[in-house]
Amino acid sequence: MLAACAVVVIITFVRHRAAREDEDPNETPDVIEYMTMWIGVVYAIVLGLAIAGVWEGRSAAQDHVQAEATALHEISERVRVYPAEERDRIRDDIRTYVSHVVTTEWDTMADKGEVTPRGAELFERIRRDVTDYEPATDFEAQAYQPLLDQVTAASQARIARAESTGETMPGVVWFGLIAGAVITIGMIFALQIRRTTRELVLAGLFSALIAFLLFLIWDFDSPYSRGVTASADPFLNLFPGVGD
């Protein structure tokens, strides 16, 4: 943001020194003012859509984490009707998987934008624990299908989480956003702004605002690896102590 302000101020000073002595900034054609207004309006709409898109992606990434943690917690709670040996084995495998997710896999998602093969292996172990068990009583049989449904929900949430680890904004969109910023700020100079304190401050604040909004889009663009990221708190809240 400071760099954007500095560029605008420097260009204004340079342009003022290079301008003709008889140049009158009040003679800016009306068509240029009209075009500048519409360029700003169109670019504001594009920025708004981009911010809404990356924020929605970030929110969806957090929802995937919540859904996965909730499904695993439901499995851990519902297996209480199983024999102690089976119940403890499933719960231990779930805690092992969750511990891997909130420590090793979460760092891999932030650094490389992908989930780990070890995480997939641990999840498959949970799936086998649930699906391979043969209910011995009617009560266990009634709990079996809901457990399978929760395994499916956790699997879908894990797949969605894996698909949302990378950047969501295509390169062509970034090209349009940056080119639009250059054009929008460049139109300031088409209006022949003068080197007054008020105009320099307004031009600097305008360019700083655009720089901040572009940074905001970039920050939200990768839901698991930048400033305002999706959190592993749902796992930590439902499975206390797994991250220790």
Side-chain angles (χ1 to χ4, degrees):
M1 293 171 62
L2 291 175
C5 292
V7 168
V8 170
V9 171
I10 291 173
I11 293 178
T12 302
F13 273 92
V14 172
R15 187 182 181 282
H16 183 79
R17 289 181 175 275
R20 302 189 311 271
E21 294 184 359
D22 59 346
E23 185 179 66
D24 185 3
N26 295 320
E27 294 181 355
T28 302
D30 292 339
V31 66
I32 293 182
E33 295 182 358
Y34 182 78
M35 290 173 59
T36 301
M37 178 190 68
W38 276 107
I39 288 174
V41 170
V42 171
Y43 187 64
I45 294 173
V46 173
L47 278 177
L49 292 174
I51 293 173
V54 294
W55 177 256
E56 182 180 356
R58 188 262 180 202
S59 299
Q62 187 65 59
D63 291 342
H64 301 327
V65 177
Q66 182 68 55
E68 184 179 1
T70 302
L72 291 172
H73 184 260
E74 284 296 311
I75 296 172
S76 180
E77 291 298 318
R78 294 188 183 194
V79 294
R80 69 181 183 275
V81 302
Y82 281 12
E85 182 180 354
E86 294 294 331
R87 179 183 66 236
D88 294 342
R89 179 161 58 88
I90 293 174
R91 287 178 173 176
D92 288 343
D93 287 344
I94 289 176
R95 291 187 68 85
T96 300
Y97 169 76
V98 172
S99 178
H100 175 79
V101 168
V102 300
T103 55
T104 305
E105 188 164 78
W106 208 266
D107 292 338
T108 302
M109 290 164 55
D111 297 337
K112 300 181 181 180
E114 60 184 21
V115 295
T116 63
R118 177 61 176 167
E121 179 183 337
L122 293 174
F123 186 86
E124 286 303 315
R125 183 187 299 174
I126 298 173
R127 189 196 302 273
R128 290 194 300 269
D129 289 344
V130 175
T131 58
D132 293 353
Y133 177 72
E134 184 176 349
T137 65
D138 291 341
F139 190 36
E140 293 178 4
Q142 292 175 2
Y144 181 73
Q145 186 58 50
L147 283 170
L148 293 182
D149 293 341
Q150 293 300 324
V151 170
T152 301
S155 177
Q156 291 174 343
R158 174 178 171 80
I159 292 172
R161 175 165 61 85
E163 292 177 348
S164 62
T165 54
E167 297 181 355
T168 58
M169 295 286 286
V172 65
V173 176
W174 274 115
F175 173 80
L177 290 174
I178 295 174
V182 173
I183 293 172
T184 302
I185 296 176
M187 292 302 293
I188 296 176
F189 305 107
L191 292 175
Q192 301 179 5
I193 64 173
R194 290 164 291 187
R195 199 177 59 181
T196 64
T197 302
R198 180 179 61 183
E199 291 181 345
L200 287 177
V201 169
L202 290 176
L205 291 177
F206 179 71
S207 59
L209 176 61
I210 291 180
F212 171 74
L213 293 177
L214 290 177
F215 168 77
L216 197 64
I217 295 171
W218 174 85
D219 192 61
F220 287 158
D221 190 29
S222 188
Y224 296 103
S225 62
R226 290 175 186 156
V228 184
T229 61
S231 170
D233 286 346
F235 286 111
L236 299 175
N237 293 335
L238 294 175
F239 299 93
V242 294
D244 297 339

